[in-house]
């Protein structure tokens, strides 16, 4: 998988080859990022919105 | 070959383990719910679906979609909806004769204080929905009950219903048991010096023995809410023994796997596939 860019600090982020949309990665800068599929179907990163009110088991 | 769907939003270690086990037994359709369009009544042609969304509304709605496609869905949308509401769960557990902590519902600050007085302090106040001990409060005196319930009224919406429970003097731990298709293959103690023992909140996991009484209780609790794959939270009361707190319909299990060595995702995958073969 190509190296992705951190949307917070702009630095490079290495993601596992088998990364899935919905996976969370912690970047060295401290940001928690979510892998997602952009409009073209490519994997990309966005800041993780955090635990939502309706989240649970 | 059987075709199964995994409906998920956050891909945690639990989901990655499930993906591996499902792929060994079936053709897998991975559905990342937040980036999907799910048409009711018209699906991708799957025989069965495993619901794993951590967002409750994602979970209920996407399970409902899978059911509309005719897929055998585990857990069902209905059981996920029922188990998420602590009052509804209590009702179903009571009807099945399953012991639970004494619980009261109150609809104003004054009646919350009255309920706490009746139960005996300290009491636990919980939101009707929610997990990982989020917003659960232990109130040691009436002033604390008042402060917590006032705050909940201020939050409004579902928080205006006060769910007040006796504080069970559990032995520094509670029990999380897995239930899969009418069996309880593994359980852990969640050990903590804090009253909230959830591992997501720093509790330590240790293997627990599932005796006949615990297994029976766990299996009947899941049956009561219609949950086929569930995580049941149980506390031990020094006098009354096991009391069931609740049933979780999208249970995390990575800590159970880590400390017991039981292949929980393998058993879940096997169960799902076996539902189709029947
Ligand atoms: N009545 C009670 N007496 C003592 N401890 C309690 C009581 N109710 C809950 N707890 C403890 O509080 C924590 C969270 O409880 P509970 O399972 O009811 O809430 P939850 O937010 O739905 O969590 P979960 O994610 O485990 O389902 C657990 O560690 C449990 O042992
Ligand atoms: Zn960064």
């Amino acid at each position: 998988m190509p190296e992705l860019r951190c949307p917070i600090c702009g630095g490079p982020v290495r993601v596992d080859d088998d990364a899935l949309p919905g996976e969370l990665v912690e970047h060295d800068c401290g940001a928690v990022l979510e892998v997602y599929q952009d409009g073209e179907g490519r994997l990309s990163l966005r800041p993780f919105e955090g635990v939502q009110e309706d989240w649970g088991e | 070959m059987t075709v199964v769907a995994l409906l998920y939003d956050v891909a945690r270690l639990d989901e990655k383990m499930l993906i591996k086990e499902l792929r060994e037994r079936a053709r897998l359709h991975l559905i990342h719910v937040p980036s999907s369009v799910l048409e009711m009544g018209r699906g991708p042609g799957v025989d069965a679906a495993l619901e794993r969304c951590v967002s409750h509304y994602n979970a209920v709605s996407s399970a409902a979609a899978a059911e509309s496609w005719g897929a055998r869905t585990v857990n069902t949308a209905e059981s996920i909806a029922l188990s998420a509401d602590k009052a509804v769960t209590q009702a179903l557990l009571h009807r099945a004769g399953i012991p639970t902590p004494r619980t009261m519902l109150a609809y104003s600050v004054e009646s919350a204080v009255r309920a706490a007085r009746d139960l005996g302090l300290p009491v636990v106040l919980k939101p009707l929905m929610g997990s990982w001990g989020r917003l659960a409060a232990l109130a040691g005196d009436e002033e604390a009950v008042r402060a917590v319930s006032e705050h909940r009224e201020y939050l409004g919406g579902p928080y205006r219903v006060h769910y007040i429970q006796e504080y069970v003097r559990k032995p520094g731990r509670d029990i999380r048991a897995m239930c899969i298709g009418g069996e309880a293959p593994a359980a852990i103690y969640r050990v903590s010096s804090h009253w909230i023992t959830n591992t997501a909140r720093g509790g330590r996991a240790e293997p627990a023995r599932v005796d006949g009484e615990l297994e029976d209780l766990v299996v009947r609790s899941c049956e009561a809410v219609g949950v086929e794959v569930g995580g049941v939270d149980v506390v031990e009361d020094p006098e009354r023994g096991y009391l069931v707190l609740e049933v979780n319909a999208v249970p995390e299990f990575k800590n159970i796997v880590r400390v017991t060595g039981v292949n929980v995702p393998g058993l879940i995958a096997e169960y799902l596939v076996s539902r189709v073969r029947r």
Side-chain angles (χ1 to χ4, degrees), chain B residues 60-80:
Chain B
V60 174
S61 59
S62 59
E67 284 168 25
S68 80
W69 306 334
R72 178 68 170 76
T73 304
V74 174
N75 286 304
T76 61
E78 184 185 16
S79 70
I80 297 168

Side-chain angles (χ1 to χ4, degrees), chain A residues 6 9 27 29:
Chain A
C6 174
C9 72
H27 194 221
C29 70

Side-chain angles (χ1 to χ4, degrees), chain A residues 16 18-24 34-37 46 48 51-57, chain B residues 8-11 16 19 30 32 54-57 131-132 134 159 176 248-250 252:
Chain A
D16 285 345
D18 58 354
L20 301 169
E23 210 168 301
L24 303 180
E34 183 190 3
V35 178
Y36 77 105
Q37 218 152 21
R46 62 185 169 203
F48 172 55
V51 175
Q52 306 291 310
E53 201 183 343
D54 77 327
W55 280 26
E57 290 188 82
Chain B
Y8 77 101
D9 47 20
V10 184
K16 297 210 134 185
I19 289 167
L30 266 182
H32 181 239
V54 297
S55 151
H56 174 67
Y57 297 112
S131 264
W132 306 310
R134 188 165 67 236
Y159 297 107
R176 160 57 69 88
N248 298 283
V250 188
E252 292 183 306

Side-chain angles (χ1 to χ4, degrees), chain B residues 45-202:
Chain B
V46 295
D47 304 305
L50 184 66
E51 182 53 69
R52 291 294 306 176
C53 283
V54 297
S55 151
H56 174 67
Y57 297 112
N58 286 358
V60 174
S61 59
S62 59
E67 284 168 25
S68 80
W69 306 334
R72 178 68 170 76
T73 304
V74 174
N75 286 304
T76 61
E78 184 185 16
S79 70
I80 297 168
L82 296 176
S83 62
D85 186 304
K86 288 188 165 63
V88 174
T89 301
Q90 274 266 339
L92 295 169
L93 294 177
H94 272 277
R95 276 164 54 175
I98 291 157
T100 66
R102 221 177 138 208
T103 304
M104 295 195 183
L105 300 172
Y107 300 86
S108 71
V109 174
E110 281 319 311
S111 46
V113 172
R114 223 160 15 113
R117 222 176 266 154
D118 202 329
L119 286 169
L121 292 155
V123 292
V124 175
L125 293 102
K126 302 182 201 179
L128 278 182
M129 266 194 202
S131 264
W132 306 310
R134 188 165 67 236
L135 284 183
L138 178 62
D141 55 44
E142 288 185 14
E143 266 327 293
V145 174
R146 202 179 293 278
V148 171
S149 45
E150 259 169 20
H151 180 239
R152 303 258 154 111
E153 303 239 321
Y154 175 77
L155 291 176
Y159 297 107
R160 289 181 305 104
V161 178
H162 304 292
Y163 182 96
I164 307 168
Q165 202 161 59
E166 65 168 312
Y167 178 68
V168 178
R169 288 174 205 285
K170 54 188 200 268
R173 68 182 191 200
D174 71 359
I175 298 169
R176 160 57 69 88
M178 272 309 300
C179 181
I180 303 169
E183 282 171 43
I188 52 170
Y189 293 123
R190 301 185 295 190
V191 185
S192 174
S193 54
H194 190 271
W195 74 278
I196 293 180
T197 57
N198 297 50
T199 38
R201 296 272 298 261

